Amino acid sequence: MTTTNLTLQAPSPAGLTWAITRNENAKSDAERDAILADPGFGNHFTDHMVDICWSEKGGWHRPRVSPYGPIQLEPSAAVLHYAQEIFEGLKAYRHADGSVWTFRPYENAARMQRSAARLALPELPSEYFIDSIRQLVAVDGAWVPSAPETSLYLRPFMFAKEAFLGVRPAKKVAYYLIASPAGAYFHGGVQPVSIWLSTKYARAGKGGTGAAKTGGNYASSLLPQAEAAQHGCQQVLFLDEGKYLEELGGMNLVLVYRDGTLVTPESDSILEGITRDSVLQLAKDRGHTVESRKVTIDEWREGAASGEIVGAFACGTAAVITPIGRLLAEDFEIVHGGPEASELALSLREELTGIQYGRVEDRHGWLLRLDA
Ligand SMILES: *Cc1c(COP(=O)(O)O)cnc(C)c1O
């Protein structure tokens, strides 16, 4: 890592003066191409990162683009002890003409503000959030892959960096943005997943932090996720109050009814997914009825048995839409077999990715161009 080669930019439209330090050990074109040929997910990071400091006295200040590398923290940094931390996840997509776009980023910015409020962190202005993405893509745009279904995954995050072991909201906070090239999630076609119903554990509780995108919810999902794997399932489904469907811990849930109605569970412990919102909007545009309401596990069980519920899918930025072929519980199982069970999910997936990759008209104005 090097700290030479520093330039100060003229203030951006968001009013920030970025200090830009180029990474002099950036990957060569050949090294980057080798990574982009098979990036997987979350394994590789681009040459640069962005950070903005916040302090109680100075507000948001010192916006920087610098070489990707380790962060220095005091061992007493509050985040390491009390998990005062939030994050976001969105993607940059390369279109056929080479241009680079992102999808509904103002929704991510607004959600990060809601998460911040819940975790007693400062709210990052939406314009700063968008600016940070533009800055990173300006230096690392070559990292946006172009093969079908690939993208550059963007990971904004914020944490309490104040060195202080007392319990109160930190007076010093850092916002960062890093980026990681992502390969096609499914190789050889989208495959339905099996999910395990966790009845012993919850990821979040009533009045807790379930609706915030915060690491603690993920920490509490790891053990039940391991339990799911032991039962041969790829994902785990959590319940609310022991009987209402909640979500998968990193993806939202949607049930498909025989008459084409889509139902998604409602609860104050569910993270409101932007993928879910988009998919449900596309379904409404097609004339489907869409409901957000409490759904019990018994409703799913009985509906699947009677044929009233014909399928289910999970949705989130990373995997977009994943049909659920089977739900396995301690003492019962729900199976949604056959191609018709995933037909609607797959066609909505095709439409949504079509918009994201510029193949389908963006009639809702969801895309934002990043490289112009
Ligand atoms: C991020 C996330 C989702 C999906 O949200 P998207 O905006 O669609 O990516 C669902 N559940 C949890 C717990 C999440 O953190």
Side-chain angles (χ1 to χ4, degrees), residues 32-74:
R32 190 180 58 241
D33 288 348
I35 290 171
L36 295 187
D38 185 21
F41 185 83
N43 302 319
H44 303 280
F45 300 93
T46 65
D47 295 313
H48 297 86
M49 61 185 185
V50 163
D51 77 310
I52 312 177
C53 292
W54 180 89
S55 66
E56 197 180 52
K57 288 202 185 84
W60 292 105
H61 62 277
R62 208 206 57 191
R64 293 190 298 191
V65 176
S66 35
Y68 177 89
I71 296 174
Q72 276 210 336
L73 275 185
E74 293 210 27

Side-chain angles (χ1 to χ4, degrees), residues 232-269:
C233 297
Q234 294 98 323
Q235 290 288 334
V236 54
L237 171 66
F238 294 100
L239 293 178
D240 220 14
E241 298 170 47
K243 62 178 173 182
Y244 298 107
L245 304 180
E246 196 212 47
E247 63 156 299
L248 273 62
M251 285 191 276
N252 295 124
L253 178 69
V254 178
L255 300 180
V256 184
Y257 287 65
R258 184 170 49 196
D259 67 355
T261 297
L262 296 178
V263 177
T264 193
E266 188 177 66
S267 150
D268 69 2
S269 64

Side-chain angles (χ1 to χ4, degrees), residues 209-226:
T209 56
K213 212 167 173 74
T214 184
N217 296 337
Y218 281 73
S220 66
S221 76
L222 297 176
L223 180 61
Q225 178 68 44

Side-chain angles (χ1 to χ4, degrees), residues 272-289:
E272 294 176 277
I274 296 160
T275 313
R276 181 181 72 165
D277 184 71
S278 308
V279 166
L280 295 179
Q281 181 62 52
L282 295 179
K284 271 188 222 166
D285 295 349
R286 293 182 186 189
H288 290 266
T289 301

Side-chain angles (χ1 to χ4, degrees), residues 71-214:
I71 296 174
Q72 276 210 336
L73 275 185
E74 293 210 27
S76 53
V79 64
L80 300 176
H81 305 272
Y82 309 125
Q84 195 191 1
E85 181 272 351
I86 55 173
F87 65 96
E88 268 302 323
L90 68 169
K91 287 172 169 175
Y93 307 88
R94 192 176 294 285
H95 287 189
D97 66 359
S99 57
V100 177
W101 302 73
T102 192
F103 184 76
R104 307 187 74 183
Y106 285 93
E107 297 296 325
N108 295 89
R111 187 170 67 189
M112 194 169 204
Q113 291 170 351
R114 295 197 297 275
S115 298
R118 180 62 184 85
L119 274 287
L121 284 162
E123 293 182 16
L124 183 75
S126 293
E127 292 306 332
Y128 290 11
F129 181 92
I130 304 293
D131 204 4
S132 72
I133 295 173
R134 286 193 186 284
Q135 294 296 328
L136 193 59
V137 168
V139 288
D140 283 340
W143 284 89
V144 183
S146 53
E149 301 275 309
T150 63
S151 59
L152 182 64
Y153 183 77
L154 304 168
R155 168 52 62 87
F157 59 105
M158 191 193 292
F159 58 87
K161 76 170 176 198
E162 185 182 358
F164 176 64
L165 288 186
V167 180
R168 57 147 171 78
K171 295 179 180 176
K172 280 188 183 167
V173 167
Y175 164 79
Y176 276 80
L177 169 65
I178 57 174
S180 173
Y185 201 88
F186 295 98
H187 292 278
V190 179
Q191 292 301 322
V193 292
S194 294
I195 59 176
W196 167 251
L197 181 69
S198 180
T199 44
K200 196 151 108 204
Y201 304 107
R203 58 177 278 282
K206 201 168 175 53
T209 56
K213 212 167 173 74
T214 184

